[in-house]
Amino acid sequence: MRKAVVAGNWKLFGTQASMQEIDALREKLNAIDNAQTCDVMICPPATIVMSAVDRAKNSVIKIGGQNCHTEQNGAYTGEISAEMLRDAGASHVIVGHSERRTQHQETSDQVRSKAAAAMTAGLVPIICVGEAEAVRDEGQAEQFIVEQICSSMPDGANGENVMVAYEPIWAIGTGRTPTPDDIGIIHKAIRNGLEGVMGEDEVKKLRILYGGSVKGSNAKSLMGVDGVDGALVGGASLKADDFYAIISEAYLA
Ligand code: PGA
C-alpha cells in the first residue's frame, strides 16, 4: 500500500511570521496518534526553509523547496540548488510546477535535469505535470500528460525516490476541479505510461498526487479517487486550520 502525502506549496507567500502556522500545524498533528496515516509536507519559500525545518522538528512534518537549479553550484546569480536546499534541511523539492513551466518557460528537458539534480543531492523531487484548458477541451489531456511525465522523468527514478503531482493548469487557484472520474483516468494513464520507464513493480510504489483547488470540503472525494495518493495544495495550505482540514477530511475521518 502506498502511504498518502498531503503537501503544501506556499508559492510566493511566507515570512518569519508564518512560522506560527507551522507551529499550529505541528501541535494539531502531535495531538493525534494516527498522524502517520499520511505524510505531511510544507514547501515554503527558500528564505524560510531553515526556520521551517527547525519548527517542524519533533513532528511528522517534512519540509521541501519549490524549485531548484539543474546545477548544484556555479555562476548562476539568484538561483538555488538542490544541494543547498538539502543543506538547509529540506527533504523534497517541487520541480516543473506549471507556474515555472509557463512563467519561466521551463521545458520538460529542464524539469528532468532539475529532478535529476534533486536526486543527486538526496532530495525527493515532486515532478509536476498538468494540461491547459484548451488541451483538455480538445480531448488531448491524457496523451499530453503521459508525454509530459515521460519526458520529465529522470534516469534512475523509481517508485520511492520521486513523486508525481498531476495539476491541471485550469484548476490551479480557480476553485474548479476535474471530476473524480477525469482525475482517475489521468492518474491511471500516468501510471501506465511510466510502467515502460521504471517498470511495473516500481510504478506500483509511486505516489501520484492530485493538485488544483484542493480544500477541506472536496478533499474526501478527490483523495478517494482510485490511484490518487495525496494532494499538492496551494492556497489552502497557507493557514494551518485550512491545511489540517484537508488532512483530517481525507485521511483521519
Ligand atoms: P491551489 O494550487 O491549491 O491554490 O489551486 C495548487 C498548486 O499550485 O500546487
Side-chain angles (χ1 to χ4, degrees), residues 7-11 94 97-99 128 165 167-169 171-176 210-215 231-237 246:
N9 170 13
W10 280 10
K11 308 190 181 185
I94 298 168
H97 189 281
S98 64
E99 285 152 17
C128 301
E167 300 199 299
I169 297 173
I172 294 177
T174 59
R176 296 165 56 208
Y210 166 77
S213 297
V214 178
K215 50 189 181 207
L232 182 55
V233 186
S237 70
I246 293 169

Side-chain angles (χ1 to χ4, degrees), residues 22 26 51-63:
I22 307 237
R26 185 191 61 233
S51 308
V53 166
D54 187 52
R55 303 294 260 267
K57 267 186 200 140
N58 304 317
S59 82
V60 297
I61 306 167
K62 295 181 168 67
I63 303 298

Side-chain angles (χ1 to χ4, degrees), residues 33-105:
D33 52 4
N34 52 355
Q36 286 296 344
T37 313
C38 65
D39 285 333
V40 178
M41 192 192 310
I42 297 282
C43 301
T47 48
I48 52 172
V49 162
M50 274 181 86
S51 308
V53 166
D54 187 52
R55 303 294 260 267
K57 267 186 200 140
N58 304 317
S59 82
V60 297
I61 306 167
K62 295 181 168 67
I63 303 298
Q66 298 176 9
N67 174 44
C68 66
H69 198 265
T70 54
E71 302 295 327
Q72 308 295 1
N73 297 284
Y76 305 105
T77 302
E79 295 291 340
I80 291 169
S81 73
E83 205 174 271
M84 291 166 185
L85 287 168
R86 183 83 198 99
D87 181 61
S91 53
H92 294 70
V93 62
I94 298 168
V95 294
H97 189 281
S98 64
E99 285 152 17
R100 301 285 321 170
R101 290 182 189 260
T102 57
Q103 295 163 8
H104 301 271
Q105 291 76 46

